[in-house]
């Protein structure tokens, strides 16, 4: 009888509870099993260890870090998202040790699904259709652009983008190992994104994209309308896709406004962002020009998707 009771308790109480606990914690346990070597190296390095501590604080809803993050990102759809809190610690990812651990997490499937996901604009019902990319002269698009406005979580100061035309010589810019179309495909551009956590930060983050002009990812959030282009990027062993809709090109100011819906399959997450870019060799927008874009974004996309936030320039 005692043996039966022991078996019953183990089979119907202890084992299911243990499995449930393991299942609920599987993304926390995963790096211990699959990335234990990079994790040990991270724990032995002060900066990387501090980053892990910061990430842990972002898992606590009432922590100081989470409260400060929610205030900083109050303009986005889900300001309480722990992922935004973790973005504040990006500057600690400046060592090879930290990046190696993060690469392993992405490569090993240890990234937990996102807790929140944005609702993208229904571009099928938008009164203003997406403009073709060739409305911007090739020699103008090719080159360096600064980010002036965003509606998303990408509020880092000193952000810029470099566009590389199709068939750029590999001596000038060589493709990344994952790129399959650029530079030889005449319909594919390359886009390099750069940003810093702070203007005085010496470490600069970098992410590359392929841009497939006139093509559209088949999202269902809601059903994708024909886009100006779609992008593909791989960073930290995680792939992301975006549909870009060019909504304004003002030649006089060398400025464009883009809305994009992004999807990251590894975390099953959508992001909805509107941004304004200006060629870096153009005079900064005046107050009146900036107000024009702030109003245009709201008129085109509504307050929910079109309330722009100013990005601090590299000089301030």
């Amino acid at each position: 009888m005692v043996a039966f009771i022991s078996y019953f308790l183990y089979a119907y109480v202890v084992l299911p509870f243990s499995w449930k606990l393991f299942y609920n914690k599987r993304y926390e346990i995963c790096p211990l099993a699959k990335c234990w070597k990079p994790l040990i190296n991270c724990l032995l390095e002060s900066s990387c260890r501090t980053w892990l501590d910061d990430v842990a604080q972002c898992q606590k809803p009432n922590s100081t870090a989470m409260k400060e993050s929610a205030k900083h990102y109050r303009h986005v759809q889900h300001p309480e998202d722990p992922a935004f809190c973790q973005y504040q610690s990006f500057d600690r990812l400046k060592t090879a040790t930290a990046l190696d651990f993060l690469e392993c997490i992405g490569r090993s499937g240890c990234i937990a699904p996102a807790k929140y996901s944005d609702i993208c604009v229904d571009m099928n019902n938008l009164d203003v259709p997406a403009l073709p990319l060739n409305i911007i002269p090739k020699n103008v698009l090719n080159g360096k652009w600064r980010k002036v406005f965003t509606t998303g979580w990408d509020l880092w100061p000193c952000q810029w983008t470099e566009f590389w035309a199709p068939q750029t010589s590999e001596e000038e810019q060589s493709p990344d190992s994952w790129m399959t179309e650029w530079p030889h495909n005449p319909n594919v551009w390359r886009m390099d994104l750069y940003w810093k956590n702070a203007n005085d930060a010496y470490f600069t983050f970098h992410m590359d994209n392929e841009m497939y002009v006139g093509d559209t990812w088949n999202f269902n959030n809601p059903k994708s309308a024909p886009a100006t282009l779609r992008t593909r990027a791989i960073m930290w062993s995680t792939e992301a896709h975006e549909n870009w809709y060019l909504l304004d090109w003002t030649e006089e100011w060398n400025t464009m406004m883009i809305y994009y819906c992004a999807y990251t399959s590894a975390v099953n997450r959508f992001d909805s962002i509107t941004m304004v870019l200006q060629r870096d060799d153009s005079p900064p927008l005046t107050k009146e020009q900036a107000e024009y874009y702030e109003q245009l974004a709201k008129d085109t996309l509504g307050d929910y998707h079109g309330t722009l936030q100013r990005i601090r320039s590299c000089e301030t």
Side-chain angles (χ1 to χ4, degrees):
M1 183 67 177
V2 173
F4 173 77
I5 293 175
S6 298
Y7 171 78
F8 180 87
L9 289 174
Y10 176 76
Y12 293 97
V13 179
V14 177
L15 191 60
F17 177 77
S18 300
W19 172 249
K20 182 178 180 181
L21 182 63
F22 175 80
Y23 184 80
N24 290 339
K25 297 290 185 179
R26 63 194 184 281
Y27 291 105
E28 297 174 27
I29 296 172
C30 182
L32 299 176
K34 297 183 177 181
C35 300
W36 61 272
K37 286 185 178 180
L39 175 58
I40 289 175
N41 292 334
C42 181
L43 292 172
L44 293 174
E45 183 181 86
S46 176
S47 178
C48 192
R49 189 169 60 249
T50 302
W51 168 64
L52 290 179
D53 291 341
D54 290 347
V55 171
Q57 289 301 311
C58 293
Q59 305 307 312
K60 302 174 182 178
N62 295 319
S63 67
T64 300
M66 277 296 293
K67 290 178 180 177
E68 291 177 352
S69 173
K71 182 179 179 181
H72 184 67
Y73 293 106
R74 59 186 178 274
H75 64 282
V76 303
Q77 292 188 29
H78 305 286
E80 67 279 15
D81 192 335
F84 301 151
C85 175
Q86 295 170 20
Y87 294 159
Q88 302 301 298
S89 299
F90 262 16
D91 204 38
R92 302 194 190 280
L93 295 172
K94 58 194 174 187
T95 67
T97 303
L99 293 174
D100 184 45
F101 178 51
L102 190 57
E103 286 273 1
C104 182
I105 291 175
R107 185 172 61 249
S108 303
C110 292
I111 301 178
K115 189 174 182 179
Y116 300 95
S117 187
D118 285 352
I119 300 298
C120 291
V121 174
D122 187 352
M123 301 301 292
N124 292 289
N125 293 330
L126 200 67
D127 292 336
V128 181
L131 301 169
L133 189 66
N134 62 12
I135 196 173
I136 305 175
K138 184 176 180 179
N139 66 310
V140 175
L141 181 59
N142 193 77
K144 184 178 178 181
W145 296 64
R146 56 178 171 263
K147 184 179 287 187
V148 183
F149 284 109
T150 182
T151 62
W153 40 260
D154 52 336
L155 282 174
W156 300 291
C158 192
Q159 297 186 53
W160 68 96
T161 300
E162 287 189 34
F163 294 104
W164 298 90
Q167 301 174 330
T168 296
S169 69
E170 293 193 23
E171 289 75 19
E172 186 176 359
Q173 180 70 292
S174 59
D176 279 2
S177 59
W178 61 265
M179 292 181 171
T180 59
E181 302 293 331
W182 187 87
H184 57 270
N185 188 323
N187 205 43
V188 176
W189 283 69
R190 170 177 173 158
M191 173 180 64
D192 290 6
L193 305 177
Y194 299 87
W195 72 93
K196 297 182 178 182
N197 251 21
N199 280 347
D200 57 354
Y202 70 86
F203 188 79
T204 300
F205 291 94
H206 178 207
M207 183 174 74
D208 301 336
N209 297 255
E210 284 189 332
M211 305 171 66
Y212 310 91
V213 178
D215 208 349
T216 307
W217 292 110
N218 186 24
F219 298 154
N220 208 18
N221 178 29
K223 182 176 174 61
S224 299
T228 301
L229 57 90
R230 63 181 176 92
T231 76
R232 175 176 177 253
I234 297 178
M235 185 176 185
W236 299 327
S237 297
T238 303
E239 184 163 337
H241 298 164
E242 298 174 359
N243 281 337
W244 276 37
Y245 299 87
L246 178 61
L247 300 178
D248 180 82
W249 161 242
T250 302
E251 184 175 4
E252 181 183 359
W253 306 337
N254 279 336
T255 307
M256 56 178 161
M257 185 174 79
I258 302 113
Y259 169 77
Y260 69 87
C261 180
Y263 179 64
T264 308
S265 60
V267 293
N268 191 27
R269 176 195 179 98
F270 283 94
D271 288 289
S272 172
I273 295 179
T274 307
M275 63 181 177
V276 175
L277 303 179
Q278 184 183 36
R279 266 195 67 97
D280 197 56
D281 54 6
S282 302
L285 294 179
T286 65
K287 180 182 177 181
E288 291 73 21
Q289 291 166 348
E291 289 174 349
Y292 165 82
Y293 274 108
E294 289 175 314
Q295 190 60 51
L296 177 65
K298 289 185 177 181
D299 290 345
T300 306
L301 300 165
D303 289 353
Y304 192 63
H305 294 280
T307 300
L308 296 174
Q309 307 294 314
R310 191 72 183 252
I311 300 292
R312 296 200 309 275
S313 69
C314 296
E315 290 75 30
T316 58

